[in-house]
Amino acid sequence: MDLVFRDAEVVDGTGGASYRADVAIDGGRIAAIVKEGAAAGCQRPTARRVVDAEGLALSPGFIDMHAHSDLALLRDPDHSAKAAQGVTLEVLGQDGLSYAPVDDRTLAEVRRAITGWNGSGDDIDFDWRTVGGYLDRLDRGIAVNAAYLIPQGTVRMYAVGWDDRPATESELDHMRRLVAEGMEQGAVGMSSGLTYTPGMYAKDAELTELCRVVAGYGGYYCPHHRSYGAGALEAYEEMVRLTREAGCALHLAHATMNFGVNEGRAPELLALLDEALDAGADISLDTYPYTPGCTTLVAVLPSWASEGGPEAVLARLRDDGTAERIRHHLEVIGSDGCHGVPMDWDTIEISGVSEATLTDWVGRRVDGWATARRLLLEDRLGTTILQHVGHEENVRTIMRHRVHTGGSDGILQGLKPHPRAYGTFPQYLGRYVRDLGVLTLEDCVAHLTSRPAARLGLTDRGVVREGNVADLVLFDPATVAAGSTYESPRALPTGIPHVLVNGEFVMEDGRRTSALAGRSVRRAR
């Protein structure tokens, strides 16, 4: 054997009771599991290297069902933000906006549109245009594994542009072909960002047609739906109805109930989902264990203000009359980009800027529309924000649900990113399992491993089982904790000494190794 973890407390990802065992690794897979007290004559495995795991829990690697590491994995080979948490697989292409499939025009536009999420990309060689090409690029070696969702907003940008109108039949055919090609090349499903332009311009009939294509390949639809504020329950119900009509599995992205209008209403969301599940719907969801959200400042604008793309947005912001109309929508009516809730500027904290001259704004609250307008113009729409609008009881209620999984929604850009980017998984294990007892350890690990693996259609990951890929985490249940805070958001977690990706140590004795053991994980046909 290559490696044996001796006397580990195995939390195997199934949700069943943990057990003490030796776990042997060979050729990148779990070769043997010998439980304590095994029958006489069953020898303990030996290996070229033996690690004493006494006092440590051994679990499958954690799967981040909502990650924004699309460029970070290429830019930063270290990628300790996720590797140190025990994440061994990230799902990219989220919220309907990413970098494949594209042509030259679309690539330039999407880079501009999500600079606040991923940076400008000036340091990246964009030598791909297709989903398969992007996955091939990941296969050259990355810190952790990655799966990809076809971004519906990018697909619409490619086929239709930035116009707020229904797609023509030929444009719809083009979008169907792009989605089919992406699924054939290994995507696991399709995402949408239905409060982000231009994806939000798609009506239900258009989304249903694209979901039919995804369903034909056994994939799933992952929408950031049309509202997490006013009308949130109606927006959730819309996605359930749409995917049932399309015959497509549904995974609800960062399934929160935010803003004052939704305080205490998480049970209503779960009742809606339970009714659909009991009727045969295929639904799952992910959340992060924090209350604030994180997005770009431009995203909160009304959708009409973003029609035509980034340059058109800047032109409208420069015009005093149009800027006043935007302010009225934000502060009085409630912008669809801000979930239909009138803006409370006190909830908006600047977390990152693109222009170095504006760094003094990071960590400050926005004091009104005049400041927000100035930042949008001077930072050319590259500003990221934290939005302090969540409710702790809603967070705890949703994470207990039977189809819940973990997703960081971690944006790694900015001087002061949301601490969820570096802390989501140890936050679950430390705060919500050990400190608060919201979940048991075995149940929580299942939320973070086998459940997401099942959604992704992966039969050899997500459970500690002989023959499975050795994506594994060893952590100390007594000390595991998120190091990241709102004041020090890039601090690494504690209590996670070892992480294996495809059988190789990417974290060893609490330190990042030089291994680039991650590869693309493609949905089997």
Side-chain angles (χ1 to χ4, degrees):
M1 300 293 179
D2 294 329
L3 171 68
V4 168
F5 291 110
R6 186 79 77 204
D7 294 320
E9 189 66 23
V10 178
V11 185
D12 66 7
T14 65
S18 65
Y19 57 87
R20 190 178 174 94
D22 294 347
V23 178
I25 313 300
D26 197 54
R29 291 185 177 267
I30 300 171
I33 301 172
V34 179
K35 295 184 180 180
E36 183 180 57
C42 185
Q43 293 184 340
R44 302 186 79 176
T46 59
R48 284 180 287 277
R49 180 177 179 188
V50 176
V51 174
D52 181 4
E54 178 78 32
L56 298 178
L58 184 148
S59 81
F62 306 134
I63 298 176
D64 189 341
M65 287 296 287
H66 193 100
H68 288 284
S69 303
D70 306 50
L71 298 186
L73 279 165
L74 303 177
R75 171 185 296 125
D76 177 21
D78 180 80
H79 202 51
S80 289
K82 295 301 177 67
Q85 293 186 61
V87 171
T88 59
L89 171 60
E90 299 184 88
V91 185
L92 313 177
Q94 299 287 349
D95 295 328
L97 291 167
S98 190
Y99 306 94
V102 292
D103 57 8
D104 290 349
R105 171 191 61 82
T106 308
L107 177 60
E109 291 174 350
V110 76
R111 285 177 60 184
R112 181 73 177 280
I114 52 176
T115 293
W117 291 357
N118 298 315
S120 67
D122 290 342
D123 53 345
I124 302 293
D125 178 11
F126 289 90
D127 59 352
W128 69 87
R129 294 295 181 270
T130 65
V131 170
Y134 176 66
L135 296 177
D136 288 344
R137 176 67 178 276
L138 298 179
D139 282 338
R140 298 179 195 174
I142 48 179
V144 302
N145 298 311
Y148 189 74
L149 294 165
I150 301 163
Q152 171 262 330
T154 301
V155 166
R156 195 172 214 273
M157 196 186 305
Y158 192 155
V160 180
W162 290 84
D163 296 339
D164 183 2
R165 62 171 176 81
T168 66
E169 192 57 40
S170 64
E171 290 167 341
L172 184 56
D173 282 343
H174 188 189
M175 287 190 282
R176 288 192 192 100
R177 289 196 304 274
L178 291 171
V179 172
E181 289 167 2
M183 294 299 297
E184 289 171 0
Q185 292 164 10
V188 294
M190 180 180 75
S191 74
S192 283
L194 299 179
T195 64
Y196 300 129
T197 55
M200 68 190 301
Y201 298 143
K203 304 302 182 187
D204 283 4
E206 179 180 314
L207 296 171
T208 301
E209 287 302 306
L210 298 183
C211 283
R212 292 189 201 280
V213 177
V214 173
Y217 289 90
Y220 68 93
Y221 181 44
C222 180
H224 163 128
H225 54 270
R226 298 191 193 275
S227 177
Y228 292 84
L233 288 174
E234 292 79 6
Y236 280 111
E237 195 280 329
E238 175 193 10
M239 295 297 101
V240 172
R241 183 180 65 250
L242 185 156
T243 49
R244 297 208 72 186
E245 181 178 344
C248 187
L250 172 64
H251 180 83
L252 295 163
H254 37 59
T256 57
M257 291 289 284
N258 283 343
F259 300 90
V261 295
N262 290 317
E263 185 171 4
R265 300 189 69 190
E268 297 176 56
L269 166 62
L270 301 186
L272 184 160
L273 299 181
D274 282 334
E275 181 179 359
L277 287 161
D278 292 344
D282 185 357
I283 301 173
S284 55
L285 59 88
D286 66 67
T287 67
Y288 45 84
Y290 298 87
T291 50
C294 179
T295 187
T296 56
L297 184 57
V298 67
V300 305
L301 302 186
S303 56
W304 60 262
S306 294
E307 187 175 6
E311 288 302 324
V313 178
L314 291 168
R316 293 186 181 102
L317 289 168
R318 292 186 192 102
D319 180 78
D320 289 343
T322 309
E324 172 56 24
R325 185 182 167 206
I326 293 171
R327 183 205 65 78
H328 183 75
H329 269 257
L330 278 168
E331 297 181 353
V332 180
I333 298 173
S335 160
D336 51 1
C338 195
H339 308 277
V341 176
M343 176 60 73
D344 177 359
W345 291 110
D346 287 341
T347 67
I348 304 298
E349 178 186 356
I350 304 301
S351 62
V353 293
S354 296
E355 291 293 329
T357 57
L358 299 172
T359 55
D360 286 349
W361 279 101
V362 174
R364 294 166 60 182
R365 300 291 176 115
V366 175
D367 57 8
W369 169 239
T371 296
R373 179 189 178 192
R374 174 191 161 192
L375 282 169
L376 287 164
L377 286 168
E378 294 184 9
D379 207 23
R380 296 188 60 79
L381 314 183
T383 307
T384 52
I385 60 172
L386 300 184
Q387 195 165 16
H388 296 269
V389 293
H391 303 285
E392 177 67 19
E393 189 52 43
N394 283 350
V395 170
R396 298 187 193 189
T397 299
I398 293 169
M399 74 169 63
R400 295 187 184 103
H401 195 262
R402 54 178 161 151
V403 298
H404 171 267
T405 68
S408 71
D409 196 11
I411 294 174
L412 299 169
Q413 277 296 114
L415 293 176
K416 195 173 182 286
H418 196 304
R420 69 192 184 194
Y422 285 72
T424 286
F425 295 87
Q427 180 84 337
Y428 270 119
L429 297 168
R431 176 170 168 77
Y432 288 94
V433 171
R434 183 187 60 242
D435 298 344
L436 298 176
V438 175
L439 298 169
T440 67
L441 179 61
E442 290 86 352
D443 191 25
C444 183
V445 168
H447 287 223
L448 307 180
T449 59
S450 63
R451 287 189 192 176
R455 168 52 72 216
L456 295 168
L458 305 176
T459 58
D460 61 354
R461 299 176 196 261
V463 176
V464 179
R465 179 185 296 140
E466 290 181 358
N468 276 9
V469 174
D471 288 349
L472 298 170
V473 182
L474 274 90
F475 63 92
D476 183 347
T479 63
V480 62
S484 59
T485 64
Y486 293 102
E487 292 72 30
S488 300
R490 296 185 190 275
L492 297 181
T494 57
I496 306 178
H498 301 300
V499 181
L500 273 67
V501 172
N502 295 317
E504 293 188 50
F505 281 97
V506 296
M507 297 294 298
E508 189 171 11
D509 296 323
R511 295 181 176 86
R512 177 71 171 93
T513 71
S514 61
L516 294 176
R519 298 293 185 269
S520 70
V521 174
R522 310 188 191 207
R523 189 169 190 91
R525 296 192 179 189

